[in-house]
Amino acid sequence: MKNKSTLTISLLAIVLGILVGVLIMIATGQNPIALFNALLRGATGIDLMRGTGVNLRYLGEFIVQSMPLILTGLSVAFAYRTGLFNIGAEGQFMVGGCAAISVAILFPMPPVIHMIVAVLAGALAGALWGFLPGFLKSKFNLHEVVICIMMNYIGMYANNYIIVHLPGSTTTITANAPQTASLSSEFLRSITNHSRLNWGIIFLIIAVLAYWFIIEKTSFGYSLRATGFNKDGAQYAGMKVNRNIVYSMMIAGALAGLAGAISVLGTFNYGRVLSAFESYGFDGIAVALTGACNVIGIVLSGLLFGLLKVAQPLLQIVGTPKEIGEIISASIVLFVAMQYGIRIVLNHFKTRKKENRTIDTDQTVSKEGVKS
């Protein structure tokens, strides 16, 4: 019942967020149809306004934009389901990408094996980056949010330092990843009109299934959730609470590190020096909350936020400010954050509806009594 209520609130938040964007477009003299056309074009490649046919490049880019958002959403949600708040997905994302490109460049290996090892190196780096906040939380009860915020900055500057010292690097980017380690796929590019769609989608599917299986179908996942739900109760039941806290943050970090590895080896095919956060980790918080930390909800939420990112340049092409997409994303997060207020409003209407039914029933009974 609670999951149904949360899903209702998430759907309502999405509708209200889009409505806010439409109202702003109308108020500023923009055509709201351009927004819906951009969303349709980003999701399917169909442009109804111009009638230029189907361009599957937009579909490919839509999936590419959504992949890291889904993974960082899974990262935040995994920690949240176990009673922790992983605000460090941004740093885990960056060190994951850095580790993946470092392994790709420094350690030559046969094809396929090289790719798998490089991706796993990214996931492992993310897990190690999540270990420290988990360890400090379990050992000294230091709040993971504070530690994660500091780790984000350390991750960004560590990434920048390592990137420029890799062989073949410039002051801004590394050499391209070797073909043996690259996730790029000529087949996927060809069927999506030369988009950046890559084999990272396979690792994404595996991560989604792993999240669902661990959280919902294993005793290990049950113990993690029990620790988050009631730490003292879990400890009384004999569960290793401190160990579970560390494991939760490490698994969450691995998911974010995997997102970084996929982005570097698949989307860009090289490492980059970053002057600021790219917000993949922070967007993952929005994805997790909008998806109610449910695996299906996170996938759909990640696709939605990815679609809004793809729609931004399409809006700009027709003269509509691309910031409309960002306003809609922010509005959705705002309405999700107001879920308790929305729940009060929904419960009020349900109560009123129930009272009206009761009054109608009483009046009907009274009328039948008078007739008899």
Side-chain angles (χ1 to χ4, degrees):
M1 192 71 179
K2 184 178 178 182
N3 291 336
K4 184 178 180 181
S5 175
T6 304
L7 177 61
T8 301
I9 291 172
S10 295
L11 292 175
L12 184 59
I14 293 170
V15 172
L16 291 174
I18 294 175
L19 181 60
V20 168
V22 169
L23 292 176
I24 291 175
M25 292 183 72
I26 294 174
T28 55
Q30 302 291 332
N31 184 1
I33 295 177
L35 170 62
F36 296 105
N37 185 67
L39 294 175
L40 177 65
R41 190 178 182 188
T44 64
I46 300 174
D47 188 349
L48 293 179
M49 294 182 71
R50 297 184 179 182
T52 54
V54 179
N55 187 349
L56 293 181
R57 177 180 173 80
Y58 294 109
L59 175 61
E61 291 298 320
F62 161 48
I63 298 173
V64 166
Q65 290 283 0
S66 301
M67 287 194 296
L69 297 178
I70 294 173
L71 286 169
T72 54
L74 291 174
S75 172
V76 174
F78 192 94
Y80 188 81
R81 291 285 296 272
T82 57
L84 300 166
F85 189 38
N86 181 28
I87 202 172
E90 187 72 23
Q92 295 150 11
F93 176 92
M94 289 184 287
V95 298
C98 179
I101 193 65
S102 297
V103 169
I105 292 175
L106 296 175
F107 301 100
M109 298 179 197
V112 182
I113 295 176
H114 198 186
M115 177 184 68
I116 294 174
V117 170
V119 171
L120 292 180
L124 178 60
L128 293 175
W129 217 249
F131 167 79
L132 185 59
F135 174 76
L136 294 176
K137 171 76 172 181
S138 64
K139 193 72 174 177
F140 304 105
N141 201 30
L142 297 178
H143 206 294
E144 70 275 11
V145 170
V146 177
I147 306 301
C148 284
I149 290 173
M150 293 188 291
M151 294 290 286
N152 285 339
Y153 285 96
I154 296 172
M156 182 175 71
Y157 292 120
N159 169 82
N160 293 348
Y161 179 81
I162 293 172
I163 288 298
V164 297
H165 286 86
L166 290 176
S169 295
T170 67
T171 56
T172 55
I173 62 173
T174 67
N176 287 338
Q179 191 62 35
T180 53
S182 176
L183 292 172
S184 299
S185 167
E186 285 301 323
F187 169 71
L188 295 177
R189 284 172 57 86
S190 65
I191 64 175
T192 56
N193 195 19
H194 304 290
S195 75
R196 294 177 296 174
L197 187 60
N198 56 77
W199 292 122
I201 192 171
I202 302 297
F203 292 96
L204 170 64
I205 294 171
I206 294 173
V208 169
L209 294 175
Y211 175 96
W212 169 79
F213 184 74
I214 292 173
I215 285 289
E216 304 292 349
K217 299 296 180 181
T218 65
S219 57
F220 173 62
Y222 174 79
S223 68
L224 294 180
R225 287 186 286 118
T227 300
F229 183 73
N230 189 330
K231 182 178 178 181
D232 294 331
Q235 193 166 18
Y236 181 78
M239 298 179 184
K240 297 180 179 180
V241 171
N242 291 337
R243 184 199 66 178
N244 286 346
I245 291 173
V246 175
Y247 282 170
S248 295
M249 287 301 295
M250 289 186 70
I251 294 173
L255 289 167
L258 178 62
I262 288 175
S263 294
V264 167
L265 297 179
T267 305
F268 297 103
N269 213 33
Y270 53 80
R272 296 161 298 141
V273 173
L274 304 173
S275 58
F277 296 142
E278 295 183 294
S279 292
Y280 283 110
F282 300 127
D283 288 342
I285 299 173
V287 170
L289 293 177
T290 304
C293 294
N294 174 275
V295 65
I296 297 176
I298 291 169
V299 171
L300 295 177
S301 177
L303 291 173
L304 171 64
F305 280 87
L307 180 58
L308 290 171
K309 285 184 176 293
V310 171
Q312 290 178 20
L314 297 178
L315 287 170
Q316 203 168 19
I317 291 174
V318 296
T320 302
K322 67 176 184 178
E323 286 74 17
I324 289 295
E326 296 175 359
I327 290 173
I328 293 175
S329 299
S331 298
I332 291 172
V333 176
L334 174 63
F335 288 120
V336 169
M338 294 167 57
Q339 59 179 295
Y340 293 107
I342 295 174
R343 187 174 282 116
I344 290 172
V345 174
L346 292 175
N347 290 337
H348 173 73
F349 282 111
K350 287 181 180 178
T351 303
R352 288 286 300 274
K353 189 175 181 180
K354 187 176 181 180
E355 289 175 352
N356 290 336
R357 286 179 179 176
T358 302
I359 293 172
D360 292 340
T361 302
D362 293 340
Q363 289 177 350
T364 302
V365 172
S366 299
K367 289 179 180 179
E368 290 179 352
V370 170
K371 289 179 178 179
S372 60

